[in-house]
């Protein structure tokens, strides 16, 4: 009886001791599970391909690992080398521990710890202790069992793939593959996989960028072990050993430099930012801009925006030819910089004129020296074409016809239409929209111009541009122009002279050059994509001889070629009839004829200045300003006389500026083409 009681007590003691030991071991296994590990933020393209990663706050390159994203060959080699019974043990391998214990008893020290992948993960997660003591090993064992019990084997592998050290500030298989091979770890050669298996054993002394021979020997040992384990065939081992070793770390991908930084700054708490860009397009166009900017000259940069105007998605955005080139001020994002667009806004003047019924593509218009008040535009080549169609005027980018149309449309109305279409034109402080807006006297951003031309490509329907798929969709802007007017402008631009060696008629495009040769622009579209290009110096300094046609247009056409197959431009809408000038209604055959014919029924009058008024032209300062003269009625052309002396002639614009002889009373007279006259007397001060 006593013996039985003793046995029961002993058995109970063993059970209690076992339970107590289990509880102690379970408590020893408590600790972080890796969920708080900081990972690099990523900016990815529309297909999930990496555009640009950013280091963690502790300056590490570290990405979450996943079994599904790693070459299965690497996983087989990893298990065979590090943990042959990974798929069957509970986190601790008794056979490996027995081997390690035998080595310890034989050598009097720990030779190998029998660490499983789960134990290594426990050590990587919990960095409070280090060393190879028995206490540390017991803690690792307890943590490994608990982790594998709670999360399973795949989570253990994912954590290892995320946290394994690879030298320097590189952690995890994905970061290592990018740093040493310049590619994702989805497809690895035997030699690459062997190197990634070997490096975590001694990451600082086997780094191939510093100790290439040590790294080579470690890789080859892994390959030999894989042959013995039956993971690799002899020819695979031979090929793996013959592979070239990486001798330097590669830079992490850095596409869409400015756009990626902008996305991260807008939402720093988000780890993965998904863009609408296509990495293949982004990479090809970045290479194109680097090449062309260097060919143009020193300190030259370039920028580009490419849009799929059917969806409104931006498929590429490049803020600088080389973001890391300080001589070209690569840190400046020129897609967001406010610059003068030169003649690039002219198509929208024509679109509004067509929409308002002021002109038609076949309407004749005068390209002659003209003054619009005190404003006297001249053409880029200082020459004039005489009477031309508005189609020809736009294709040749003539300045006088564009300003005549803008005057008829109204600068404020034109400016307001741009704002309603969602762009943000910028005027100098205190200025109001004037005729100079039509020739670049306003600031615009490259992305705004791209959006405007995308609106033309969509037959007047402005797109809501989308760049970040994880951001709220922007509100759709108001239409840019009516369908018929937008198509007519696109049809005209499709016939513009193409750059040398480029195919004409494929793309509707327009170039622009700002005053002083500071900015060169080219913007165009086909049936699917709209591309806008800027070339110049980010500091705004002049580049003698640079023009949109010579510097930006060739880039535009090459960019279209690199984006893939050509998409035909839209056909003529049903609402648009093909008409020659002779088939047009009489008022549309020649620009300004409606106003002139209507004025025949009215007497000629001087609308400004009024008779008897006093006008301060600054005579007291010694430098008198010009005196504007405006008329109503009569038939152009008109002749202006000051005190009986002819001083100016003007036409359908019905205004001119004259210079009085000096302060005092002055008589202004105007005579029209029919000999009718009107006079006023003013006092000039």
């Amino acid at each position: 009886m006593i013996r039985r009681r003793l046995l029961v007590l002993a058995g109970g003691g063993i059970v209690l001791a076992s339970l107590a030991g289990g509880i102690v071991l379970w408590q020893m296994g408590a600790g972080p599970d890796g969920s708080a590990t900081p990972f690099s933020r990523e900016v990815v393209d529309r297909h999930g391909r990496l555009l640009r990663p950013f280091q963690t706050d502790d300056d590490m390159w570290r990405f979450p690992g996943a079994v599904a994203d790693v070459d299965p060959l690497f996983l087989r080699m990893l298990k065979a080398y590090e943990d042959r019974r990974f798929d069957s043990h509970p986190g601790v391998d008794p056979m490996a521990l027995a081997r390690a214990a035998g080595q310890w008893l034989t050598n009097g020290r720990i030779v190998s710890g029998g660490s499983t992948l789960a134990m290594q993960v426990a050590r990587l997660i919990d960095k409070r202790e280090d060393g190879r003591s028995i206490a540390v090993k017991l803690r690792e064992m307890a943590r490994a069992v608990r982790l594998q019990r709670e999360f399973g084997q795949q989570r253990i592998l994912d954590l290892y793939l995320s946290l394994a050290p690879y030298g320097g500030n590189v952690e995890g298989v994905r970061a290592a593959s990018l740093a040493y091979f310049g590619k994702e770890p989805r497809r690895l050669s035997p030699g690459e996989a062997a190197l990634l298996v070997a490096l975590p054993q001694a990451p600082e002394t086997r780094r191939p960028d510093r100790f290439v021979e040590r790294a080579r020997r470690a890789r080859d040992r892994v390959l030999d072990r894989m042959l013995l384990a039956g993971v690799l065939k002899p020819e695979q081992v031979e090929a793996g050993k013959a592979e070239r070793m990486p001798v330097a770390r590669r830079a992490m991908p850095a596409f869409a430099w400015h756009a990626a930084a902008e996305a991260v700054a807008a939402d720093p708490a988000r780890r993965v930012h998904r863009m609408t860009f296509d990495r293949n397009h982004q990479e090809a166009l970045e290479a194109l801009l680097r090449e062309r900017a260097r060919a143009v000259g020193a300190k030259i940069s370039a920028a580009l925006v490419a849009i799929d105007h059917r969806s409104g998605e931006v498929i590429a955005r490049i803020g600088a030819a080389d973001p890391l080139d300080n001589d070209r001020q690569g840190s400046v994002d020129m897609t967001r910089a406010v610059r003068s667009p030169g003649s690039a806004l002219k198509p929208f003047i024509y679109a509004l004129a067509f929409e308002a019924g002021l002109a038609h593509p076949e309407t004749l218009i005068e390209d002659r020296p003209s003054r619009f008040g005190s404003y006297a535009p001249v053409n880029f080549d200082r020459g004039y074409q005489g009477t031309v169609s508005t189609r020809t005027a736009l294709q040749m980018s003539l300045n006088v016809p564009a300003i005549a149309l803008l005057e008829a449309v109204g600068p404020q109305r034109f400016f307001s239409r741009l704002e309603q279409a969602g762009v943000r034109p910028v005027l100098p402080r205190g200025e109001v929209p004037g005729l100079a807006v039509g020739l670049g006297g306003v600031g615009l951003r490259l992305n705004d111009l791209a959006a405007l031309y995308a609106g033309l490509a969509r037959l007047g329907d402005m797109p809501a541009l989308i760049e970040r798929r994880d951001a709220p969709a922007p509100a759709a802007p108001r239409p840019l122009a009516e369908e018929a007017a937008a198509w007519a402008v696109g049809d005209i631009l499709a016939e513009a002279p193409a750059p040398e060696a480029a195919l004409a008629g494929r793309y509707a495009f327009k170039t622009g050059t700002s005053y002083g040769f500071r900015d060169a622009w080219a913007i165009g579209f086909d049936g699917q994509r709209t591309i806008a290009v800027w070339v110049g110096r980010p500091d705004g300094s002049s580049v003698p001889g640079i023009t949109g046609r010579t510097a930006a247009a060739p880039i535009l056409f090459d960019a279209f070629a690199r984006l893939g197959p050509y998409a035909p431009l839209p056909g003529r809408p049903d609402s648009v009839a093909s008409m020659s000038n002779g088939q047009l209604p009489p008022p549309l055959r020649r620009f300004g004829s409606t106003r002139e014919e209507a004025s025949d029924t009215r007497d000629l009058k001087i609308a400004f200045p009024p008779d008897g008024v006093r006008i301060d032209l600054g005579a007291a300062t010694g430098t008198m300003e010009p005196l504007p003269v405006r008329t109503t009625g009569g038939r152009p052309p008109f002749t202006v006389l000051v005190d009986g002396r002819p001083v100016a002639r003007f036409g359908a614009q019905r205004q001119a500026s004259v210079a009085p002889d000096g302060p005092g009373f002055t008589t202004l007279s105007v005579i029209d083409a029919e000999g009718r006259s009107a006079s006023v007397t003013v006092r000039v001060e």
Side-chain angles (χ1 to χ4, degrees), residues 617-652:
L617 298 180
T621 65
T623 303
M624 293 181 59
E625 297 177 357
L627 172 61
V629 179
R630 300 188 184 93
T631 67
T632 61
R635 178 183 290 276
F638 303 94
T639 302
V640 183
L641 298 87
V642 175
D643 295 328
R645 176 171 51 87
V647 295
R649 285 176 61 86
F650 58 95

Side-chain angles (χ1 to χ4, degrees), residues 360-498:
H360 180 275
E362 305 308 324
T363 297
L364 298 180
I365 193 168
E366 296 300 316
D367 179 42
R368 304 180 187 280
S370 304
R371 295 190 69 88
F372 301 84
S374 60
Y375 187 48
V378 295
N379 289 322
F380 187 79
D381 62 0
R382 302 287 174 173
Y384 297 91
Q385 301 298 315
T387 302
V388 296
S389 67
T390 56
R391 176 183 297 274
T392 299
L394 178 54
Q395 288 170 352
M396 297 183 66
S397 195
L398 302 177
N399 289 343
V400 174
I403 296 305
L405 290 172
L406 179 59
E407 182 191 39
V409 168
Q412 182 60 62
R413 179 187 174 196
F414 175 69
F415 195 85
S416 297
R417 183 65 70 90
L418 295 180
E419 291 183 316
Q420 292 170 6
V423 304
R424 296 170 292 166
V426 178
L427 289 170
R429 186 182 299 274
E431 292 289 331
V432 296
L435 295 177
V437 167
L439 301 184
V442 65
L444 274 181
R445 300 163 180 84
L446 183 64
N447 58 312
D448 288 336
L449 277 174
L452 286 172
Y453 278 81
L456 279 182
R458 289 162 57 104
L459 301 183
D461 179 25
M462 285 292 293
L465 296 190
I466 304 169
E467 199 172 88
R468 293 165 48 205
R469 289 192 164 177
D470 45 32
R478 294 177 60 179
L480 173 66
E482 292 180 354
E483 179 186 65
W487 181 86
V489 170
D491 183 57
I492 292 171
L493 296 180
E495 298 175 1

Side-chain angles (χ1 to χ4, degrees), residues 305 307-309 311-314 447-448 450-451 454 463-467 473-475 477:
V305 176
I307 302 168
D308 182 336
H309 54 244
S311 64
E313 292 185 333
V314 179
N447 58 312
D448 288 336
L465 296 190
I466 304 169
E467 199 172 88

Side-chain angles (χ1 to χ4, degrees), residues 265-284:
D267 190 359
R270 184 182 296 274
R271 203 193 69 77
V272 179
H273 300 261
R274 302 187 183 279
M275 311 295 284
T276 61
F277 301 168
D278 184 295
R279 173 167 161 166
N280 291 341
H281 295 333
Q282 184 77 26
E283 184 174 4

Side-chain angles (χ1 to χ4, degrees), residues 73-75 77-78 81-82 160 164-167 170 172-173 175-183 185 188-226 232 236-237 239-250:
L73 174 64
F74 169 79
L75 295 175
M77 293 173 66
L78 176 67
Y81 191 81
E82 291 283 2
Y160 181 88
Y166 282 91
V170 176
V173 171
S177 184
L178 290 168
Y180 294 123
F181 311 133
K183 66 179 185 180
L188 297 172
S189 67
E192 291 169 343
L195 182 61
L196 294 182
V197 168
L199 287 182
Q201 299 295 312
E204 294 304 326
T205 59
R206 292 180 180 177
R207 287 177 55 174
D209 57 326
R210 293 186 178 179
F211 308 102
V212 63
E213 288 306 318
R214 291 182 185 176
R216 187 193 309 278
R217 290 194 295 270
R219 178 199 68 182
D220 292 351
R221 283 196 296 272
V222 172
L223 290 169
D224 290 336
R225 285 268 299 274
M226 295 305 101
L232 295 178
Q236 290 178 298
V237 172
K241 291 182 177 181
E243 290 179 23
R244 179 177 298 179
M245 288 287 294
V247 295
R249 269 178 48 176
R250 298 170 182 255

Side-chain angles (χ1 to χ4, degrees), residues 38-231:
F39 292 106
S40 296
R41 286 169 292 185
E42 303 175 47
V43 179
V44 301
D45 80 345
R46 62 176 57 213
H47 303 294
R49 293 172 297 195
L50 186 62
L51 288 169
R52 184 184 176 191
F54 293 80
Q55 288 177 290
T56 62
D57 292 339
D58 55 350
D59 297 325
M60 300 296 293
W61 293 114
R62 185 191 298 120
F63 303 100
V67 169
D69 296 332
V70 178
D71 194 322
L73 174 64
F74 169 79
L75 295 175
R76 293 198 301 272
M77 293 173 66
L78 176 67
K79 292 178 184 179
Y81 191 81
E82 291 283 2
D83 194 348
R84 286 181 294 171
R85 286 170 287 276
F86 173 80
D87 295 322
S88 58
H89 64 64
V92 175
D93 186 350
M95 295 179 65
L97 289 177
R99 184 197 67 241
Q103 292 173 338
W104 174 53
L105 292 173
T106 302
N107 297 276
R109 59 184 177 85
I110 295 177
V111 176
S112 65
S115 293
T116 61
L117 287 173
M119 292 171 64
Q120 293 183 49
V121 166
R123 184 166 62 249
L124 293 170
I125 292 175
D126 189 358
K127 300 180 179 180
R128 292 178 298 173
E129 294 179 313
D130 198 4
R132 300 170 68 85
S133 67
I134 292 179
V136 170
K137 287 298 177 185
L138 287 174
R139 178 176 175 78
E140 287 177 7
M141 292 163 58
R143 291 286 294 122
V145 172
R146 184 160 180 166
L147 285 171
Q148 190 150 319
R149 177 71 178 270
E150 291 181 347
F151 300 114
Q153 291 172 317
Q154 179 161 324
R155 174 61 176 163
I156 296 296
L157 276 178
D158 289 347
L159 286 170
Y160 181 88
L161 297 176
S162 304
L163 303 176
Y166 282 91
N169 64 342
V170 176
E171 288 187 1
V173 171
R174 187 181 178 207
S177 184
L178 290 168
Y180 294 123
F181 311 133
K183 66 179 185 180
E184 298 283 352
R186 296 186 184 93
R187 288 288 182 269
L188 297 172
S189 67
E192 291 169 343
L195 182 61
L196 294 182
V197 168
L199 287 182
Q201 299 295 312
E204 294 304 326
T205 59
R206 292 180 180 177
R207 287 177 55 174
D209 57 326
R210 293 186 178 179
F211 308 102
V212 63
E213 288 306 318
R214 291 182 185 176
R216 187 193 309 278
R217 290 194 295 270
R219 178 199 68 182
D220 292 351
R221 283 196 296 272
V222 172
L223 290 169
D224 290 336
R225 285 268 299 274
M226 295 305 101
L227 178 62
L228 295 175
V231 176

Side-chain angles (χ1 to χ4, degrees), residues 582-599:
Q583 295 172 315
L584 294 174
L588 282 179
R589 293 175 186 172
R590 182 179 291 271
F591 176 72
S593 61
T594 301
R595 291 182 297 170
E596 293 170 14
E597 291 170 5
S599 69

